[in-house]
Amino acid sequence: MPTYRDEVVVLRTHKLGEADRIVTLLSRRHGKVRAVAKGVRRTSSRFGARLEPFMVADVQLYQGRSLDIVQQAESLGSYGAEIALHYDRYTAAHAMVEAADRLNEAEATPHQYLLLVGGLRALSRGDHDSRAVLDSYLLRAMSLSGWSPALDACARCGALGPHDWFVAQLGGTVCAACAPAGAARLRPETGDLLRALLAGEWDIVDEVSAPTAAAASGLVAAYAQWHLERGIRSLSHVEGTR
């Protein structure tokens, strides 16, 4: 059976037997990969620490029938240790890798890999507010998967905006004529922040007020969870960090 190399982000791990782990990886060229890392739970393991969640590594894998086997692992980005020191970064990173894990194989592209690596790097450095990094990641990941939110036109009728209501189930902002009862009212400053998060305009994102940031975060969470079809469980822990 063939072997192959790829760059990966470790999304999650599960214990297997007494010393092994099953690792779920988002790779640069092979989409999502599930593999067995043998002996990594032993203290003598050569690469156990390189295969923890949030770590970026260059790995060599042996292609198996149902699960591949990790043969080598070299660290490319040791983000996990720094992220784990800060609760807000840790919970945001968990939500990011959980969202990445929900992507199906067709959506696990090199762009998704690079987006996740960039987000984890930003969290480890503390470049920006952790929740803002998460919100930007979720919006951009949804966009790469073909679910970019409508922010400049009505998601239902296409009327040019900006508009004052946001409905996750309809795909973003909607006009007054299309807004259903109970639609969330979108303040202009919140709409501006959503656009900045989607575009990665951090000079704008870093200057917003806490209430505006919180309002945008609620809309991003609702939008991402609706399109991923299952709730992102980690988001319940992130909510408590603001």
Side-chain angles (χ1 to χ4, degrees):
M1 299 294 288
T3 61
Y4 63 96
R5 297 192 72 90
D6 207 343
E7 298 174 16
V8 302
V9 179
V10 181
L11 303 180
R12 58 190 172 96
T13 67
H14 295 289
K15 292 180 181 179
L16 179 66
E18 295 184 357
D20 305 338
R21 278 199 179 103
I22 295 175
V23 292
T24 301
L25 313 167
L26 179 63
S27 73
R28 184 166 188 162
R29 295 182 295 274
H30 294 84
K32 283 196 302 183
V33 176
R34 296 184 75 237
V36 176
K38 295 188 174 182
V40 295
R41 290 162 54 203
R42 297 193 183 103
T43 55
S44 59
S45 172
R46 292 173 300 164
F47 52 79
R50 302 167 194 167
L51 295 173
E52 294 291 335
F54 319 140
M55 304 297 278
V56 181
D58 182 340
V59 298
Q60 178 173 301
L61 299 114
Y62 175 93
Q63 188 175 349
R65 290 185 177 180
S66 57
L67 294 172
D68 295 349
I69 298 174
V70 179
Q71 295 180 316
Q72 297 177 9
E74 299 295 333
S75 178
L76 295 177
S78 300
Y79 305 132
E82 186 62 33
I83 287 173
L85 291 176
H86 306 270
Y87 183 73
D88 59 327
R89 301 182 194 180
Y90 182 74
T91 54
H94 262 292
M96 288 165 61
V97 297
E98 185 180 347
D101 193 24
R102 297 285 173 84
L103 301 172
N104 64 45
E105 284 300 329
E107 296 162 352
T109 64
H111 295 296
Q112 291 282 7
Y113 165 83
L114 292 172
L115 178 65
L116 182 58
V117 170
L120 293 174
R121 183 187 300 119
L123 284 177
S124 71
R125 294 175 177 175
D127 291 340
H128 310 285
D129 177 78
S130 299
R131 186 58 194 264
V133 173
L134 170 60
D135 291 341
S136 181
Y137 169 78
L138 290 175
L139 285 177
R140 297 166 85 175
M142 294 299 99
S143 182
L144 287 173
S145 297
W147 299 324
S148 183
L151 298 175
D152 296 309
C154 177
R156 174 175 280 181
C157 71
L160 293 179
H163 298 297
D164 297 331
W165 287 268
F166 188 97
V167 183
Q169 298 89 326
L170 295 180
T173 59
V174 293
C175 64
C178 294
R185 192 67 182 260
L186 184 68
R187 293 182 177 274
E189 59 271 24
T190 306
D192 291 341
L193 176 55
L194 292 174
R195 295 182 192 91
L197 289 166
L198 184 57
E201 297 173 340
W202 291 102
D203 55 332
I204 297 175
V205 174
D206 292 339
E207 295 300 320
V208 301
S209 67
T212 299
S217 292
L219 296 177
V220 171
Y223 187 81
Q225 295 195 94
W226 172 262
H227 287 287
L228 289 173
E229 296 182 351
R230 292 179 296 167
I232 302 173
R233 290 177 296 177
S234 303
L235 280 177
S236 63
H237 301 290
V238 176
E239 294 298 333
T241 65
R242 274 213 182 271

